[in-house]
């Protein structure tokens, strides 16, 4: 969430755009090796982090015998600024309160609670018959251009029938009618071209478009948090590797013998093109669940939606969409 909304670059978050920000908080470090609070809670969700921050400040309040009201993130920020001894006692808390405040502002401004819930439903095929109507309602509600277009992009990635293609055309027309910036509408078409390119590149190993989609999007059964239902494909692949179930024709291996007889103990996953923090969390949880295996994740970059869409734009430059998929000019 921090990387998506604020961007983490070389373990730093740039907060210099905030008005009246203190000089020492213009760029803050988020590094597990140097920040115990971050290390302990790196994979917690937004609500859990808010409770943790409130608990830390409440603890200090009880020690300081102060009964100042702390109901909102803004209250927490004001408290930290007014009590420099608290900052001295717990130097990392101030930056986390500032980050939380910024995230909270974005959640409100972009209507992310509703938008994110619908994104998860589309990605996991939950209530699929209602997706089009819900997207239309949110666009009419006036969500930001980027959030509106990303919802349509997700719908495009999940659409293969003639009916869904008609609905997609309708959604693009709504984006245009709401004066959504042209480059966001172009990105919807770029994502469609990118999808066609992936399907063509994988036609020898995956039979059809629906099959590749099923592998890209997995529904996690029994999830309580509606914002964390999506499970990345990487989790399924690594689980299959641990159980020696990967198909050799799709995932060839090098070995002195025809077939490995031992289950793997050390796994290095490196993704050329980039990884995400969601995938990092999946690997983290798998390391906990499989203590007999050590898994390391790496990639050429760590993506958020902005960086990924930039790559989509570059990858589809000069590619036009045709009935048979995509082809280069």
């Amino acid at each position: 969430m921090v990387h998506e909304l604020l961007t983490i670059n070389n373990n730093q978050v740039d907060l210099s755009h905030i008005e009246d920000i203190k000089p020492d908080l213009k760029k803050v470090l988020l590094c597990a090796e140097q920040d115990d609070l971050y290390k302990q809670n790196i994979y917690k969700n937004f609500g859990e982090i808010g409770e943790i921050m409130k608990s830390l400040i409440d603890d200090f309040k009880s020690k300081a015998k102060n009964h100042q009201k702390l109901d909102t993130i803004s209250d927490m920020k004001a408290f930290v600024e007014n009590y420099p001894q608290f900052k001295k006692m717990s130097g990392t808390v101030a930056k986390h309160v500032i980050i939380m405040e910024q995230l909270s502002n974005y959640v409100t401004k972009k209507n992310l609670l509703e938008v994110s819930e619908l994104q998860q439903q589309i990605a996991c095929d939950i209530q699929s018959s209602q997706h089009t109507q819900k997207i239309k309602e949110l666009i009419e509600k006036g969500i930001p251009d980027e959030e509106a277009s990303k919802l349509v992009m997700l719908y495009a990635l999940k659409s293969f029938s003639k009916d869904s293609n008609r609905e997609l055309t309708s959604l693009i027309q709504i984006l245009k009618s709401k004066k959504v910036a042209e480059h966001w509408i172009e990105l919807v078409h770029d994502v469609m071209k990118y999808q066609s390119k992936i399907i063509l590149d994988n036609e020898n190993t995956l039979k059809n478009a629906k099959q590749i989609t099923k592998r890209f999007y997995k529904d996690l059964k029994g999830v309580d948090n509606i914002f964390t239902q999506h499970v990345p494909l990487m989790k399924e692949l690594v689980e299959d590797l641990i159980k020696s179930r990967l198909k050799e024709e799709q995932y060839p291996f090098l070995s002195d013998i025809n077939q490995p007889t031992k289950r793997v103990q050390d796994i290095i996953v490196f993704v050329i093109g980039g990884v995400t923090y969601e995938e990092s969390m999946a690997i983290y949880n798998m390391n906990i669940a499989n203590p007999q295996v050590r898994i390391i994740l790496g990639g050429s970059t760590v993506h958020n939606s902005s960086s990924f869409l930039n790559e989509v734009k570059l990858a589809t430059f000069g590619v036009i969409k045709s009935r048979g998929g995509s082809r280069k000019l």
Side-chain angles (χ1 to χ4, degrees):
M1 187 175 184
V2 176
H3 189 44
E4 174 64 22
L5 299 178
L6 299 176
T7 307
I8 302 173
N9 186 14
N10 291 328
N11 292 328
Q12 283 190 329
V13 178
D14 189 345
L15 301 174
S16 59
H17 62 281
I18 301 175
E19 188 177 355
D20 298 325
I21 188 75
K22 293 182 178 179
D24 60 332
L25 291 175
K26 286 187 176 182
K27 285 191 176 182
V28 298
L29 189 67
L30 285 182
C31 178
E33 285 76 19
Q34 301 180 34
D35 186 335
D36 287 340
L37 184 60
Y38 180 63
K39 181 179 180 179
Q40 294 166 10
N41 302 290
I42 186 172
Y43 295 117
K44 294 285 194 346
N45 63 48
F46 182 63
E48 290 171 328
I49 296 294
E51 288 298 318
I52 290 167
M53 299 303 299
K54 186 176 185 301
S55 177
L56 285 171
I57 297 177
D58 282 344
D59 181 60
F60 179 75
K61 276 181 61 182
S62 65
K63 294 177 182 177
K65 296 182 180 179
N66 183 288
H67 299 289
Q68 180 178 332
K69 187 178 180 182
L70 286 179
D71 291 333
T72 67
I73 292 176
S74 295
D75 292 339
M76 297 182 202
K77 179 186 175 187
F79 179 82
V80 171
E81 291 176 346
N82 292 333
Y83 288 85
Q85 65 267 43
F86 174 78
K87 183 179 176 181
K88 182 178 179 180
M89 184 184 76
S90 186
T92 61
V93 174
K95 71 180 179 186
H96 289 291
V97 170
I98 295 290
I99 289 173
M100 285 292 293
E101 181 189 42
Q102 291 303 301
L103 295 179
S104 180
N105 290 341
Y106 276 118
V107 167
T108 302
K109 180 180 177 181
K110 294 173 176 280
N111 200 12
L112 289 184
L113 292 180
E114 285 188 82
V115 170
S116 298
E117 181 178 358
L118 182 53
Q119 286 176 342
Q120 291 286 324
Q121 290 175 348
I122 295 172
C124 299
D125 271 333
I126 300 171
Q127 298 177 328
S128 56
S129 62
Q130 303 175 27
H131 292 165
T132 307
Q133 185 58 35
K134 287 184 177 180
I135 293 173
K136 290 178 180 178
E137 289 173 0
L138 283 175
I139 294 175
E140 292 292 343
K141 203 171 184 177
I143 60 175
D145 288 4
E146 63 267 32
E147 303 307 328
S149 61
K150 286 175 189 175
L151 283 172
V152 178
M153 289 175 205
L154 272 177
Y155 183 83
L157 288 172
K158 299 289 287 183
S159 302
F160 295 101
S161 68
K162 290 182 179 179
D163 288 340
S164 60
N165 285 336
R166 284 194 292 269
E167 293 289 0
L168 179 58
T169 300
S170 172
L171 290 173
I172 292 174
Q173 289 302 318
I174 293 175
L175 291 179
K176 291 179 179 179
S177 70
K178 300 301 279 187
K179 308 297 183 185
V180 169
E182 184 61 32
H183 76 274
W184 283 112
I185 296 176
E186 288 177 359
L187 272 170
V188 174
H189 294 289
D190 289 338
V191 165
M192 294 165 65
K193 289 185 286 185
Y194 188 77
Q195 176 200 43
S196 298
K197 186 175 185 298
I198 290 175
I199 292 171
L200 289 175
D201 288 347
N202 287 274
E203 62 184 356
N204 292 327
T205 55
L206 297 173
K207 293 182 180 178
N208 54 48
K210 287 191 175 182
Q211 189 171 356
I212 190 173
T213 301
K214 287 178 181 178
R215 291 184 64 79
F216 270 129
Y217 300 102
K218 299 290 291 181
D219 182 9
L220 183 62
K221 305 299 181 183
V223 172
D224 293 326
N225 191 334
I226 59 174
F227 301 109
T228 57
Q229 295 173 88
H230 177 253
V231 179
L233 172 63
M234 182 182 293
K235 181 177 184 292
E236 178 188 348
L237 294 178
V238 175
E239 284 178 342
D240 285 347
L241 176 58
I242 292 173
K243 298 173 183 177
S244 300
R245 292 179 180 173
L246 284 182
K247 295 182 179 179
E248 184 182 348
E249 61 270 22
Q250 294 180 17
Y251 301 96
F253 61 89
L254 292 175
S255 176
D256 294 333
I257 54 178
N258 291 330
Q259 181 69 33
T261 56
K262 294 182 179 179
R263 289 190 174 183
V264 295
Q265 292 181 316
D266 295 281
I267 301 172
I268 299 175
V269 182
F270 190 92
V271 184
I272 299 173
V275 296
T276 66
Y277 277 105
E278 182 191 28
E279 290 168 331
S280 174
M281 182 175 71
I283 296 299
Y284 170 82
N285 289 330
M286 290 181 71
N287 273 313
I288 294 175
N290 301 276
Q292 75 282 5
V293 179
R294 291 171 293 186
I295 312 167
I296 297 174
L297 175 65
S300 50
T301 190
V302 181
H303 276 306
N304 57 15
S305 64
S306 296
S307 63
F308 175 71
L309 289 174
N310 284 337
E311 290 211 354
V312 168
K313 174 66 74 175
L314 291 172
T316 57
F317 180 75
V319 175
I320 60 175
K321 191 137 189 289
S322 64
R323 287 186 180 181
S326 63
R327 58 188 176 86
K328 290 187 176 181
L329 287 171

